[in-house]
């Protein structure tokens, strides 16, 4: 979420600051680029997961509420509880893609605020509002399990993680020299913060785990961005990481359906243990992810530049 807020927030900040292009065209261009990147895969695997439930390969439920998955409402303000449970994090992303640019361009159009000022105010809003809501709802989770299934996966209580990335993008754009100069101290502080959050997280500290943990963990990850953003070239050994990054969205959607296929094999004891089935599982997941990326995802992504030109907008890397 933090990385997404930083990358997409930076794109929105640059788009909002452009002059000479109507704001509504910039908004439409942002949406078409984001949605052609995310929606084709999502709807493909929504259909796959529905088919798996209908075939009895996945223990989910199909009922009259299934339609909410089409409009990303399965965990907007209530826990996801039917099927396709891994989709919860994409719901958080999609509501960010919808809400933040609408608010940003609206504030700029309706007020005299400059783009960077409007952006900063909304970044703070996206941090503070979900955090306060999380504190309000935390007492309703009596155990860590309830918190994990509910509060942790609600879009309205997790948008602040993206907000920290949005704020980091603003700091990078407004104070580039300082952003670079503090990168190593921030790396140390951020790493220590992440480790501290990991150690403190647990059922014995439920009040921390359901409130401050999410704030401090996201902030700690944001502190890593000055170093991570300074990496401009991949080393020779980085090709594998680049490949995984290309197929990562497909892998996010592939791994659970593939697990359902392998579940029966995992349930049977093998003389060699689980190493072989797990190895084959990962090979199958990565291979299927590459096929989805190569023959499905990229076809829709290739449409984006042409639509940008039709809108009269200079294509951006989003």
């Amino acid at each position: 979420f933090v990385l997404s807020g930083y990358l997409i927030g930076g794109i929105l900040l640059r788009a909002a600051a452009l002059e000479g292009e109507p704001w509504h065209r910039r908004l439409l261009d942002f949406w078409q680029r984001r949605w052609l990147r995310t929606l084709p895969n999502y709807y493909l695997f929504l259909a796959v997961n529905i088919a798996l439930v209908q075939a009895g390969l996945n223990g989910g439920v199909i009922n009259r509420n299934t339609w909410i998955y089409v409009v990303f409402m399965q965990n907007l303000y209530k826990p996801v509880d039917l099927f396709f449970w891994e989709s919860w994090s994409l719901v958080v992303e999609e509501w960010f893609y919808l809400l933040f640019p609408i608010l940003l361009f609206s504030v700029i159009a309706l007020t005299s605020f400059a783009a960077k000022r409007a952006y900063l105010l909304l970044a703070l809003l996206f941090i503070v509002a979900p955090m306060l809501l999380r504190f309000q709802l935390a007492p309703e989770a009596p155990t860590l399990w309830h918190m994990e299934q509910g509060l942790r996966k609600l879009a309205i209580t997790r948008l602040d993680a993206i907000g920290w990335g949005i704020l980091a993008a603003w700091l990078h754009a407004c104070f580039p020299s300082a952003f670079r100069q503090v990168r190593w101290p921030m790396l140390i502080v951020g790493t220590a913060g992440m480790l501290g959050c990991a150690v403190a997280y647990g059922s014995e500290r439920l009040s921390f785990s359901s409130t401050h943990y999410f704030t401090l963990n996201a902030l700690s990850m944001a502190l890593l961005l000055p170093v991570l953003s300074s990496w401009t070239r991949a080393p020779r050994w980085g090709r594998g990481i680049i490949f995984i990054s290309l197929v990562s969205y497909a892998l996010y959607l592939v791994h659970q359906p593939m697990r359902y296929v392998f579940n029966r094999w995992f349930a049977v004891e093998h003389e060699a243990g689980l190493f072989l089935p797990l190895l084959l599982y990962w090979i199958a997941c990565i291979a299927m992810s590459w096929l989805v990326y190569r023959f499905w995802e990229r076809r829709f992504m290739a449409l984006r530049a042409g639509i940008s030109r039709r809108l009269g907008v200079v294509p951006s890397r989003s």
Side-chain angles (χ1 to χ4, degrees):
F1 291 150
V2 174
L3 182 59
S4 177
Y6 174 74
L7 295 174
I8 305 304
I11 292 169
L12 282 169
L13 182 57
R14 291 190 294 273
L18 283 176
E19 296 181 356
E21 294 178 354
W23 69 268
H24 65 277
R25 291 188 181 183
R26 285 174 276 160
L27 178 59
L28 290 174
D29 185 59
F30 170 79
W31 278 337
Q32 68 92 5
R33 297 185 72 84
R34 282 288 86 206
W35 288 337
L36 281 173
R37 173 73 174 86
T38 59
L39 297 190
N41 275 15
Y42 173 78
Y43 288 123
L44 171 65
F45 280 91
L46 175 59
V48 168
N49 277 273
I50 290 174
L52 288 171
V53 173
Q54 297 283 42
L57 297 176
N58 177 14
V61 175
I62 304 294
N63 61 26
R64 61 187 178 87
N65 294 318
T66 301
W67 69 269
I68 66 176
Y69 282 77
V70 177
V71 291
F72 294 96
M73 290 185 63
Q74 59 263 45
N75 58 289
L76 176 59
Y77 58 93
K78 290 184 178 181
V80 57
D81 59 357
L82 296 180
F83 68 105
F84 199 9
W85 298 282
E86 64 274 19
S87 66
W88 75 267
S89 57
L90 187 57
V91 172
V92 181
E93 295 277 352
E94 293 297 336
W95 281 97
F96 160 56
Y97 299 153
L98 179 67
L99 293 177
F100 191 83
I102 284 181
L103 294 173
L104 177 61
F105 285 105
S106 296
V107 169
I108 294 172
L110 298 175
T111 69
S112 58
F113 288 174
K116 288 184 178 180
R117 183 182 180 188
Y119 181 99
L120 175 60
L121 291 175
L122 289 174
L124 296 176
L125 175 65
F126 266 61
I127 292 173
V128 174
M131 182 174 63
L132 293 177
L133 187 58
R134 190 164 58 243
F135 273 83
Q136 183 178 355
L137 295 178
E140 298 181 8
T143 67
L144 186 68
W145 185 88
H146 287 89
M147 190 278 292
E148 287 275 358
Q149 299 304 312
L151 188 68
R152 176 177 174 265
K153 297 178 180 179
L154 299 183
I156 58 173
T157 59
R158 295 305 308 279
L159 281 169
D160 61 319
I162 296 179
W164 286 109
I166 296 171
L167 181 60
W170 182 87
L171 291 170
H172 193 178
C174 295
F175 308 101
S177 297
F179 197 81
R180 179 176 177 81
Q181 290 172 1
V182 301
R183 65 189 186 279
W184 295 115
M186 293 299 97
L187 175 67
I188 295 172
V189 175
T191 302
M194 289 175 59
L195 292 174
C197 286
V199 171
Y201 186 83
S203 56
E204 63 277 7
R205 285 175 289 273
L206 181 60
S207 61
F208 169 83
S209 301
S210 58
T211 55
H212 297 292
Y213 167 81
F214 295 103
T215 302
L216 296 176
N217 198 43
L219 173 59
S220 298
M221 291 189 176
L223 295 178
L224 307 182
L225 292 173
V227 164
L228 297 178
S229 64
S230 67
W231 292 355
T232 57
R233 290 190 305 171
R236 293 180 179 178
W237 50 265
R239 293 182 178 179
I241 296 175
I242 292 173
F243 171 77
I244 292 296
S245 73
L246 290 174
V247 303
S248 61
Y249 179 41
L251 185 60
Y252 156 72
L253 295 166
V254 161
H255 81 281
Q256 283 284 53
M258 193 63 69
R259 199 196 79 183
Y260 303 141
V261 174
F262 275 75
N263 266 347
R264 295 179 182 179
W265 197 2
F266 289 150
V268 178
E269 293 189 9
H270 296 268
E271 294 182 1
L274 286 175
F275 175 77
L276 180 59
L278 283 174
L279 177 62
L280 293 177
Y281 165 72
W282 275 106
I283 292 174
C285 283
I286 293 173
M288 183 60 68
S289 299
W290 179 82
L291 290 172
V292 171
Y293 169 75
R294 176 65 179 83
F295 296 105
W296 179 261
E297 185 178 334
R298 280 179 54 180
R299 292 180 182 272
F300 292 95
M301 291 172 62
L303 301 174
R304 301 185 300 174
I307 297 176
S308 293
R309 287 191 293 269
R310 291 187 182 92
L311 289 171
V313 177
V314 176
S316 61
R317 296 183 63 187
S318 59

